[in-house]
Amino acid sequence: MKSHSQQSYIPALKYHALTRFYDLVVRLTTREGMFKNKLVELAAPQAGEHVLDVGCGTGTLTYLLAEREQKLHIKGLDADPVQLERANSKVAAIGSQISFQQGYAQQLPDNAQTFDIVVSSLFFHHLTTHQNNQIQHN
Ligand SMILES: C[S@@+](CC[C@H](N)C(=O)[O-])C[C@H]1O[C@@H](n2cnc3c(N)ncnc32)[C@H](O)[C@@H]1O
C-alpha cells in the first residue's frame, strides 16, 4: 500500500484551486444545515463516546456533533491538509474534544475499531473504484 505522501484523492470541489470556496459553495447549493443536523440526530452520540468523521472536510459535521454533546471524543479524518486547517480554525472556538488528522479512508488509523460511531457526509462519491475496493478489503 502506498504511504500517505504517495496517495492521491479527489479534492472537495474536484480541483485544488477551488477548495477555498468549499464552505460557501456547500452553503449556497445544498440544504447543509438540514441534512447535517439530521445526521447528528440519527447518530445520537452519548457523552463519553468516541466518534470518527471520515472525509470530514472543513469540519462542519464534526462541529455540529460537538455542539450537540460536548463530552464526546471526536476525530475528523481527511486527506486534504487545507480542508483540515479550516476545520481546526472552526472548532478552536468551542474548545471541545475534537482532533483532526490527515489521512485516508482506505487507510484508517490503527485505532479505528475503537470508535463507537462513524459518520460521514458528502464523501463517498470522492472515492475511486480502486479506493472503494481497498476499503471493502480492510
Ligand atoms: C465534498 S467534501 C465533504 C466534506 C465534509 N464531509 C462535508 O460534509 O462538508 C469531500 C472530502 O473528502 C476528502 N477526501 C477525498 N478523498 C479522500 C480519501 N480517500 N480519504 C479521506 N478523505 C478524502 C476531500 O479532501 C474532501 O474534504
Side-chain angles (χ1 to χ4, degrees), residues 71-121:
K71 290 185 179 152
L72 290 177
H73 307 276
I74 314 178
K75 174 160 285 196
L77 180 86
D78 199 280
D80 191 338
V82 174
Q83 290 281 81
L84 293 178
E85 207 177 298
R86 176 98 184 87
N88 266 314
S89 65
K90 232 183 242 180
V91 304
I94 59 173
S96 182
Q97 304 254 46
I98 302 179
S99 64
F100 291 103
Q101 183 179 331
Q102 195 275 333
Y104 301 90
Q106 62 276 25
Q107 205 174 333
L108 289 174
D110 288 343
N111 65 347
Q113 288 172 349
T114 63
F115 288 95
D116 301 293
I117 299 172
V118 179
V119 295
S120 197
S121 68

Side-chain angles (χ1 to χ4, degrees), residues 7-13 22-23 26 32 35-36 53-61 77-80 83 103-106 120-123 125-127 131:
Q7 299 259 7
S8 65
Y9 60 91
I10 300 170
L13 293 175
Y22 179 72
D23 274 350
V26 172
E32 184 180 29
F35 77 82
K36 286 187 178 169
D53 182 0
V54 181
C56 65
T58 60
T60 313
L61 177 61
L77 180 86
D78 199 280
D80 191 338
Q83 290 281 81
Y104 301 90
Q106 62 276 25
S120 197
S121 68
L122 302 177
F123 165 66
H125 62 288
H126 281 256
L127 294 173
Q131 289 168 339

Side-chain angles (χ1 to χ4, degrees), residues 31-43:
R31 296 166 75 191
E32 184 180 29
M34 191 273 292
F35 77 82
K36 286 187 178 169
N37 276 305
K38 187 70 187 171
L39 274 177
V40 172
E41 190 186 318
L42 289 170

